[in-house]
Amino acid sequence: DQQVKQNSPSLSVQEGRISILNCDYTNSMFDYFLWYKKYPAEGPTFLISISSIKDKNEDGRFTVFLNKSAKHLSLHIVPSQPGDSAVYFCAARNYGGSQGNLIFGKGTKLSVKP
Amino acid sequence: KAGVTQTPRYLIKTRGQQVTLSCSPISGHRSVSWYQQTPGQGLQFLFEYFSETQRNKGNFPGRFSGRQFSNSRSEMNVSTLELGDSALYLCASSRTSGSVNEQFFGPGTRLTVL
């Protein structure tokens, strides 16, 4: 059973507009959430994270929102740039759980068109 | 500062063979985690090693094993390869166990099983 879900496999956005990537989770024991960006032929790179005790974290053009009651988080990129085109993975940590460090979603491929 | 390196970058094997993949973490990092990425399952946690000890293990069969050396370098081994083992194998290093927000990924080893 997939505990972290990214229901949109792909997203296309115009340069300068907002990109919103969504992620849903099922395990209420997750205490930390992260977003990673992955370019082809490279490993994922950490983008931004949020603790379960917060509802928003901002870093430059990137903002992550967490809605614990809905078990939903989203990544906002404003303004979107062509260099943001990549696959974005949502990940969650089950602190003290038996499934290891991080549980990842399957990713959303973002395409930012000039 | 050198990043996480993985060797080899590409590998082709046939069913029934075994394979060993290598990961050199960032200098000073003592934790190494391994992940398998496939189109169907996304990124899945295999195991984590810290100070030469396996700390966590994901839901993979015993054909998947690993080890860590005193210099923190890690290897993972897959025996009796199956077609479904074709994937990108990623390792990630961090200073301490559980530091998921400070986890740096290598570029991965692309394994193809024929």
Side-chain angles (χ1 to χ4, degrees), chain A residues 36 38 43 93 98 100-101 106, chain B residues 33 40 45 48 57 98 100 106:
Chain A
Y36 283 84
K38 186 180 186 298
R93 181 179 75 174
S98 61
N101 288 359
K106 292 187 179 182
Chain B
S33 297
F45 173 78
E48 180 205 4
K57 190 177 190 306
V100 292

Side-chain angles (χ1 to χ4, degrees), chain B residues 28-46:
Chain B
H29 286 195
R30 295 166 60 194
S31 170
V32 174
S33 297
W34 288 90
Y35 295 85
Q36 180 196 64
Q37 184 186 5
T38 58
Q41 299 299 320
L43 269 157
Q44 291 185 289
F45 173 78
L46 280 155

Side-chain angles (χ1 to χ4, degrees), chain B residues 9-76:
Chain B
R9 291 294 309 277
Y10 302 91
L11 205 49
I12 299 176
K13 292 284 188 179
T14 56
R15 279 182 300 174
Q17 286 187 308
Q18 76 164 16
V19 66
T20 299
L21 312 181
S22 180
C23 172
S24 293
I26 291 171
S27 178
H29 286 195
R30 295 166 60 194
S31 170
V32 174
S33 297
W34 288 90
Y35 295 85
Q36 180 196 64
Q37 184 186 5
T38 58
Q41 299 299 320
L43 269 157
Q44 291 185 289
F45 173 78
L46 280 155
F47 29 65
E48 180 205 4
Y49 285 87
F50 179 75
S51 294
E52 302 177 65
T53 303
Q54 188 180 86
R55 296 292 292 262
N56 283 299
K57 190 177 190 306
N59 296 326
F60 278 82
R63 299 186 297 107
F64 292 82
S65 63
R67 60 178 175 168
Q68 187 179 34
F69 301 95
S70 58
N71 62 357
S72 295
R73 190 176 70 85
S74 177
E75 289 181 347
M76 68 162 280

